[in-house]
Amino acid sequence: MSGWRLLLTRPAEDSVALAAALSEAGIQSSSLPLLAIEPLVETAEQRATMLKLDRYSAVVVVSKPAARLGLQLLDRYWPQPPFGPVWFSVGAATGAILEGFGLDASWPASGDDSEALLALPRLAQALEVADPKVLILRGEGGREHIAETLRSRGAQVDCLELYRRYLPDYPPGILVKTLRSERLNAVMVSSGQGLESLRELAGSDWSLLRELPLFVPSPRVAEMAVALGAKTIVDCRGAGTAALLAALRENPEPAF
């Protein structure tokens, strides 16, 4: 049995699956979702973009919600997926959703963050055409680093926002209450927005929260955590379950 006792902050559905995987590995956890997901109302822009999907060299899908909602639109407007774009996902879990729909999707073999995606040779190959165009399926304001990098490589990039994430309404002090009642000794976040929600919900209790080991998915989120004053930061180099489990195994367990 591991000495880690982890606070999970992923959206509710994802936290259930993660808690089960951690339990199998002998790791105790408790869930307090810091991001809820709300689909955006379909707009004329969404419809127009999906109807022109065949003009894109590549489609990048940044998350599982983006995959599910994007595939709903694809199914609605295309009897068969267009042959034009090559599909990419940031991580394996999102890629599995695309493959389950019958799409030929690629994602990083190791690391499920923006940097690993941008390093994919197949993505570079997809941009080796005249006037490359990329569509990014994402939530509001998500993964801007991907868009900026692809533009710097000469691609025209369009972003189709399909959902928004927001902090659920919790009573004051819920974080510290959960940590103490469950005797938790570490916290994980799966995105920069998740970290921002953690800081917002903590309020004046942040001075306590920042003392705990904080597991983050990427160097970018690690930098954000440093700026917020977190004391012990573990970069999992991925937001997936396998990356978190590896980081938990590789780092010494707290003595409390």
Side-chain angles (χ1 to χ4, degrees):
M1 174 68 73
S2 169
W4 289 110
R5 301 183 299 277
L6 196 62
L7 178 67
L8 310 182
T9 64
R10 288 180 179 177
E13 181 180 345
D14 292 341
S15 285
V16 171
L18 177 57
L22 292 174
S23 179
E24 289 182 4
I27 299 170
Q28 177 188 340
S29 66
S30 182
S31 177
L32 187 69
L34 296 184
L35 293 174
I37 294 171
E38 178 182 58
L40 298 178
V41 175
E42 186 176 328
T43 64
E45 179 186 3
Q46 285 184 348
R47 290 192 292 273
T49 300
M50 292 304 294
L51 288 170
K52 296 177 181 178
L53 196 61
D54 55 347
R55 70 177 181 167
Y56 291 100
S57 312
V59 178
V60 175
V61 186
V62 306
S63 65
K64 290 184 286 185
R68 296 185 183 109
L69 294 169
L71 291 177
Q72 289 177 15
L73 291 176
L74 180 64
D75 191 47
R76 190 176 307 156
Y77 294 115
W78 288 87
Q80 296 182 24
F83 290 108
V86 182
W87 291 76
F88 297 90
S89 71
V90 173
T94 301
I97 296 173
L98 300 177
E99 280 196 333
F101 194 81
L103 299 172
D104 179 16
S106 296
W107 58 85
S110 60
D112 48 0
D113 55 19
S114 299
E115 289 74 14
L117 169 72
L118 290 165
L120 281 178
R122 193 180 186 194
L123 180 57
Q125 292 170 6
L127 301 182
E128 292 176 353
V129 297
D131 190 25
K133 297 179 176 65
V134 179
L135 178 63
I136 299 178
L137 303 183
R138 68 183 193 180
E140 282 186 337
R143 301 284 182 173
E144 191 59 35
H145 175 61
I146 295 176
E148 292 173 353
T149 302
L150 293 176
R151 290 187 183 109
S152 74
R153 295 179 182 177
Q156 174 188 320
V157 180
D158 297 327
C159 298
L160 188 56
E161 297 184 340
L162 301 174
Y163 62 95
R164 73 178 186 96
R165 288 188 171 105
Y166 63 94
L167 176 62
D169 187 20
Y170 288 114
I174 185 67
L175 270 172
V176 170
K177 180 180 179 180
T178 302
L179 291 168
R180 288 175 174 168
S181 64
E182 301 289 336
R183 298 181 60 250
L184 305 178
N185 57 19
V187 181
M188 63 77 62
V189 295
S190 56
S191 67
Q193 189 174 358
L195 176 59
E196 291 170 353
S197 293
L198 179 70
R199 176 65 185 90
E200 179 182 347
L201 185 60
S204 60
D205 292 327
W206 178 245
S207 59
L208 300 175
L209 266 294
R210 70 180 184 177
E211 299 292 332
L212 295 178
L214 178 65
F215 289 80
V216 302
S218 68
R220 180 183 65 85
V221 182
E223 290 176 2
M224 293 173 61
V226 169
L228 290 173
K231 299 295 181 64
T232 304
I233 303 163
V234 180
D235 179 6
C236 302
R237 292 311 304 262
T241 300
L244 176 61
L245 282 169
L248 288 166
R249 294 188 184 105
E250 292 167 3
N251 286 271
E253 302 165 356
F256 58 93

